Amino acid sequence: MDGHDERRHVRVAVVGSGFGGLGAAVRLRREGITDFVVLERAGSVGGTWRDNDYPGCACDVPSHLYSFSFAPNPDWPRTFSGQRHIRAYLEHVADTFGLRPHLRLGHEVRLMRWDGDARHWKIETSRGTLTADVVVSATGALSDPKVPAVPGLDGFPGKVFHSARWDHGYDLRGKRVAVVGTGASAIQIVPAIQPDVARLTLFQRTPAWVMPRADRAITGAERALHRGLPFTGAVRRSVLRGIRELQVQAFTKHPNQLGLVESLARANIARAVKDPVLRAKLTPSYRIGCKRILLSSAYYPALARPNVDLVASGLAEVRGSTLVAADGTEAAADVIVFGTGFHVTDLPVTERVVGADGRTLAEWWKDGMASLRGATAAGFPNWMTIIGPNTGLGNSSMILMIEAQLAYMADYLRQLDALGGRGAVLTPRPAAVAAWNRRVQERLRRTVWSTGGCSSWYLDAGGRNTTLWPGTPGEFRRATREVDLAEYEVIRPGRGPGGEADAAGPGGEANAAGPGGRAVTTPARPTEEATR
């Protein structure tokens, strides 16, 4: 859809068309809701799998687990699929579930503001304004690239780009290329471009733990089996999910159990890197799992090639064509590729969401992101997020978390309908948000992400882990199975003259109509999961 739909008010506005946004759209249709739009700033769907098309880009989660349970793909070509196939899968989902009429491509959301009088969201986009009863924000955490403010970068005479904004029109062959960063993108980029460049210099602030990637082509017989007997694909997915669920305990409760995995990772370095000096530079000093464990069978061999230099220090300054590391090492470059991640704990979209009291979501979250069950935020009525605070995973598929949040979204909308439909409002109580996040942070204290001795992008500026879920996807699914109205302030549509409604009083919720359609306030109770 190109945005010619003239409807200016919808029941639900979904923002973003990656896995979260398309999943939300599918779930809305399955719930019988067709009065919705999906606002997407780009010209096609795909989210991070559209934006990240750098050389070597692939997923580090098995293909059959990195797909929707309601949209199995029997034809994945590899056990770990590449960007091209994942993006094609998302296009297929959009077609198969009839989502095209709901898409508004090229509609960048510039501002979302809650109108308390009208009880809806006013959404300003690059191609006009619309209103919505409910907003589902599915912009994702990996959507806005982060480039460090390196002194002198503006004066660099060569080419500069981020891994998520790859310039395919620029030929790297024969060039001196500097790659900054050693995260999930960099370890895929380095071996992909190393054979073609004249010289590759990798600026490594902190080494990563890298395990071999057990990738292989999925045979034609396997694919035929999954097509002919769909339950076999479901079994494969269930086995993969079960294995990952068992692994979570080591990350979240017993980090010392990761010692065996760490010894295997050390052996992987020793096997691929014979130079003891280089091997020492590549060996992390923190517990494995503290940062995301990366998968690659080509990264270490590429670093051992004669045209590659590893600088075990971060990029500190640029002087013309010379790059200077924090330890004083200098390297000449024609191209700088930043593999420096994204704005995860300081999401730019939060500056564009204005709640009931006139403050932005960024202002509410200035001391750290916090939501109720990773979905709703205090002060923001009828607003939800997919992949919200503390919903990330350190070792499994985010699709599992997304599907759990879609179930919560569906029940949220059912509750609004039960409360009277249009004009009904649900806003999470600050006490419920605080109780939920207190429990999450308590559980995070004993995880490897907190005790492993590293500084990672999981942590915000204050040192709090506001990104990861401290349990299994199964636990999260159970915690988000349905909406507990005790955690919300509720406003029903008015039934008297003028359509007036009553808001819940302090510490309570308006969840029942009294004489004349007036709301009756009943005391709210904290849920067991939020307080135990």
Side-chain angles (χ1 to χ4, degrees):
M1 178 177 177
D2 61 7
H4 292 301
D5 188 337
E6 295 301 321
R7 286 181 299 167
R8 291 302 176 193
H9 180 83
V10 292
R11 175 68 172 146
V12 182
V14 179
V15 184
S17 68
F19 268 100
L22 294 183
V26 172
R27 188 60 188 253
L28 289 171
R29 286 187 62 91
R30 296 178 76 183
E31 292 291 318
I33 299 172
T34 57
D35 183 18
F36 71 90
V37 294
V38 179
L39 303 172
E40 169 57 55
R41 66 185 177 185
S44 60
V45 304
T48 191
W49 294 106
R50 175 199 59 238
D51 296 342
N52 288 270
D53 60 354
Y54 56 79
C57 183
C59 189
D60 61 359
V61 174
S63 302
H64 286 272
L65 192 58
Y66 201 77
S67 47
F68 291 120
S69 63
F70 53 78
N73 178 16
D75 291 312
W76 287 117
R78 304 195 65 84
T79 52
F80 291 88
S81 290
Q83 175 266 343
R84 178 168 60 90
H85 295 104
I86 297 173
R87 183 178 179 184
Y89 170 77
L90 290 171
E91 294 280 2
H92 175 73
V93 168
D95 290 330
T96 301
F97 291 91
L99 305 183
R100 299 289 178 188
H102 300 279
L103 295 176
R104 290 190 178 180
L105 304 176
H107 283 65
E108 181 178 9
V109 172
R110 293 175 173 170
L111 185 67
M112 292 179 277
R113 182 183 296 274
W114 174 252
D115 185 333
D117 293 329
R119 292 196 207 144
H120 65 213
W121 285 92
K122 183 178 180 181
I123 306 169
E124 298 176 14
T125 79
S126 56
R127 296 180 62 178
T129 302
L130 71 154
T131 57
D133 295 332
V134 178
V135 166
V136 177
S137 179
T139 58
L142 307 181
S143 56
D144 292 288
K146 178 184 287 187
V147 175
V150 181
L153 182 60
D154 290 345
F156 181 69
K159 191 73 175 177
V160 179
F161 50 85
H162 190 277
S163 59
R165 300 292 184 268
W166 196 271
D167 187 343
H168 290 278
Y170 187 83
D171 190 355
L172 293 179
R173 287 179 297 182
K175 301 294 194 306
R176 299 169 299 177
V177 180
V179 176
V180 182
T182 51
S185 299
I187 71 156
Q188 294 178 344
I189 292 169
V190 167
I193 68 173
Q194 174 270 321
D196 297 324
V197 304
R199 189 127 214 110
L200 193 156
T201 303
L202 178 63
F203 286 83
Q204 171 192 271
R205 188 172 58 181
T206 308
W209 285 111
V210 182
M211 296 288 285
R213 189 163 176 254
D215 186 29
R216 65 171 178 84
I218 297 177
T219 66
E222 289 175 275
R223 284 179 276 172
L225 178 66
H226 295 329
R227 281 195 302 271
L229 298 173
F231 79 88
T232 61
V235 169
R236 185 173 188 161
R237 176 186 173 89
S238 295
V239 170
L240 290 169
R241 183 182 63 208
I243 291 172
R244 301 264 170 158
E245 291 260 337
L246 291 174
Q247 293 172 343
V248 168
Q249 300 300 321
F251 288 83
T252 60
K253 295 181 180 179
H254 309 291
N256 289 335
Q257 293 180 355
L258 292 166
L260 175 60
V261 180
E262 190 169 302
S263 65
L264 294 175
R266 290 180 184 276
N268 184 43
I269 300 173
R271 185 166 49 249
V273 181
K274 302 307 179 184
D275 180 356
V277 176
L278 179 59
R279 191 162 61 238
K281 291 179 180 179
L282 291 170
T283 303
S285 60
Y286 55 86
R287 170 67 74 187
I288 194 169
C290 185
K291 291 175 179 280
R292 188 176 181 95
I293 301 173
L294 306 180
L295 302 181
S296 175
S297 298
Y299 177 64
Y300 289 140
L303 293 181
R305 302 301 296 170
N307 67 330
V308 178
D309 294 314
L310 175 69
V311 177
S313 182
L315 178 61
E317 185 182 358
V318 176
R319 299 173 188 163
S321 296
T322 301
L323 279 58
V324 184
D327 66 358
T329 303
E330 296 185 0
D334 304 306
V335 189
I336 303 175
V337 178
F338 283 99
T340 44
F342 301 84
H343 290 276
V344 175
T345 59
D346 57 341
L347 300 170
V349 71
T350 60
E351 298 280 359
R352 306 180 186 186
V353 187
V354 182
D357 66 353
R359 284 188 289 169
T360 65
L361 188 58
E363 290 174 304
W364 273 83
W365 286 355
K366 62 182 175 63
D367 295 323
M369 299 189 297
S371 66
L372 176 60
R373 301 179 187 269
T376 55
F380 295 82
N382 289 8
W383 181 90
M384 300 189 67
T385 182
I386 305 296
I387 313 181
N390 292 112
T391 60
L393 294 175
N395 79 316
S396 191
S397 173
M398 279 304 300
I399 313 305
L400 302 175
M401 302 295 279
I402 288 172
E403 290 197 26
Q405 292 201 288
L406 298 182
Y408 193 78
M409 176 197 75
D411 195 54
Y412 187 97
L413 292 168
R414 289 189 211 110
Q415 295 288 354
L416 288 175
D417 286 342
L419 291 165
R422 187 170 182 183
V425 177
L426 287 174
T427 310
R429 296 170 51 241
V433 175
W436 172 260
N437 282 277
R438 184 166 55 250
R439 175 57 180 156
V440 168
Q441 291 301 318
E442 286 173 356
R443 293 184 62 183
L444 281 166
R445 288 196 190 104
R446 61 181 176 180
T447 67
V448 69
W449 310 306
S450 298
T451 64
C454 73
S455 175
S456 72
W457 59 265
Y458 300 147
L459 310 180
D460 63 17
R464 293 175 65 241
N465 188 333
T466 56
T467 59
L468 295 184
W469 169 244
T472 68
E475 287 179 282
F476 187 77
R477 184 175 64 253
R478 291 188 291 273
T480 55
R481 183 173 289 122
E482 59 185 18
V483 171
D484 185 347
L485 287 181
E487 295 181 326
Y488 285 86
E489 295 172 356
V490 182
I491 302 177
R492 281 176 172 267
R495 297 179 184 177
E500 295 181 359
D502 292 300
E509 57 168 308
N511 66 351
R518 307 298 291 175
V520 178
T521 298
T522 57
R525 55 180 176 77
T527 63
E528 178 185 357
E529 285 155 339
T531 57
R532 64 192 168 118

